[in-house]
Amino acid sequence: MRYDDKTLVVIGGGSGIGLATAKAFVEGGGRVVLGGRSAQRLEAARESLGAAAQIATIDVFDPDSVAAFFAPLERIDHLFTPAATYAIAPFDHPDEAALASPFDGKFWGQVRCVRAAAPKLAADGSVVLMSGAASARPPKGAALYAAANGAIEAFGRGLAVDLAPIRANVIAPGTIDGDLWARRPTEIRDAAFAGQAAGSLVGRPGAEAEIAQAVLFLLINGFTTGTTLFTDGGYSLR
Ligand SMILES: NC(=O)c1ccc[n+]([C@@H]2O[C@H](COP(=O)([O-])OP(=O)(O)OC[C@H]3O[C@@H](n4cnc5c(N)ncnc54)[C@H](OP(=O)(O)O)[C@@H]3O)[C@@H](O)[C@H]2O)c1
């Protein structure tokens, strides 16, 4: 695929699935604007991508920061919003703030970014939101996290209606072997990968490049809108 003269904004583009998507977009001739909180992480991403990449810091928890990030951007062809920071607590946890964390840290951040980007999106442009396969098959103790992902998928369907002809879709990965899990303790990572291997149809975690390929399909395919694509190796079917 070629993305010449197109701009993709990736909020959460300094690492992981966002960076893998940016890399594939740049390899196809496109330009990217990467956002995240850590300037150092963004700078390393820009060095790896070259002159086709711009960077700017953003914290999706902070409406002023979101506004400042989007203000200088004139035209956006595509927007991808994998940035998220959240904790997972069981539904009977006594602290309501802990229960709200997946909504605060994953749902509302994406809502803020889409609201700020919408006036600048090209009429033939598109948005891809990040949810997760837990919406379809919740792990034990993660009912609020599952609910937040389900809310993101419903938001994506609503956006497809409200933004048309601009398209909106959602990507819902299973467990992916990449930057997110590399930062977690070994025993937790091993348990997650073993769970994905045993609990999926393909018998392994996914790769960031596999999710990037699926995100690019959703961003580019002109007849796909309002859908959630489960890139989970069949995790939600077991
Ligand atoms: N990897 C998986 O197994 C998996 C599976 C299902 C769903 N997902 C979803 O995909 C998301 C991204 O995962 P990933 O694998 O790409 O992990 P990642 O490498 O942790 O990517 C998240 C990116 O978002 C940025 N970010 C985090 N909080 C932010 C905030 N408040 N404002 C702006 N940027 C923020 C991070 O950079 P800074 O820290 O510098 O801000 C980071 O670059 C996950 O959070 C999850 O919602 C992942």
Side-chain angles (χ1 to χ4, degrees):
M1 288 292 291
R2 297 298 305 172
Y3 315 114
D4 301 271
D5 301 322
K6 300 289 185 191
T7 297
L8 166 64
V9 175
V10 186
I11 306 300
S15 63
I17 296 164
L19 179 57
T21 304
K23 183 170 182 284
F25 199 78
V26 166
E27 284 169 356
R31 292 182 303 270
V32 294
V33 183
L34 309 179
R37 292 167 303 178
S38 160
Q40 194 180 6
R41 183 174 283 166
L42 291 172
E43 192 52 59
R46 175 164 63 182
E47 275 175 28
S48 73
L49 296 178
Q54 284 180 54
I55 56 172
T57 54
I58 176 173
D59 184 346
V60 301
F61 282 96
D62 175 0
D64 293 339
S65 168
V66 172
F69 176 92
F70 282 97
L73 302 180
E74 282 177 10
R75 173 195 158 104
I76 300 169
D77 294 294
H78 303 291
L79 173 69
F80 177 39
T81 55
T85 319
Y86 51 84
I88 296 177
F91 80 96
D92 52 359
H93 193 281
D95 178 4
E96 274 201 14
L99 298 181
S101 172
F103 281 90
D104 292 341
K106 187 163 178 179
F107 176 81
W108 279 108
Q110 296 191 81
V111 171
R112 282 187 198 103
C113 291
V114 170
R115 280 165 52 84
K120 298 169 183 226
L121 282 166
D124 62 350
S126 66
V127 174
V128 170
L129 306 174
M130 174 63 83
S131 70
S135 64
R137 183 182 166 199
K140 193 161 175 50
L144 272 295
Y145 179 64
N149 282 305
I152 291 161
E153 291 162 17
F155 177 54
R157 289 190 290 276
L159 268 185
V161 173
D162 288 351
L163 290 178
I166 296 164
R167 296 175 299 100
N169 291 288
V170 183
I171 188 90
T175 299
I176 306 306
D177 185 354
D179 289 338
L180 182 148
W181 289 101
R183 292 193 295 272
R184 292 188 176 165
T186 309
E187 61 277 15
I188 292 176
R189 179 170 66 245
D190 289 350
F193 287 0
Q196 169 74 27
S200 69
L201 300 177
V202 303
R204 63 171 175 83
E208 290 172 343
E210 291 174 308
I211 309 309
Q213 187 180 45
V215 171
L216 287 175
F217 164 78
L218 294 173
L219 287 173
I220 298 304
N221 186 278
F223 203 56
T224 303
T225 192
T227 195
T228 296
L229 181 54
F230 281 82
T231 46
D232 66 352
Y235 169 85
S236 47
L237 294 178
R238 291 283 314 255

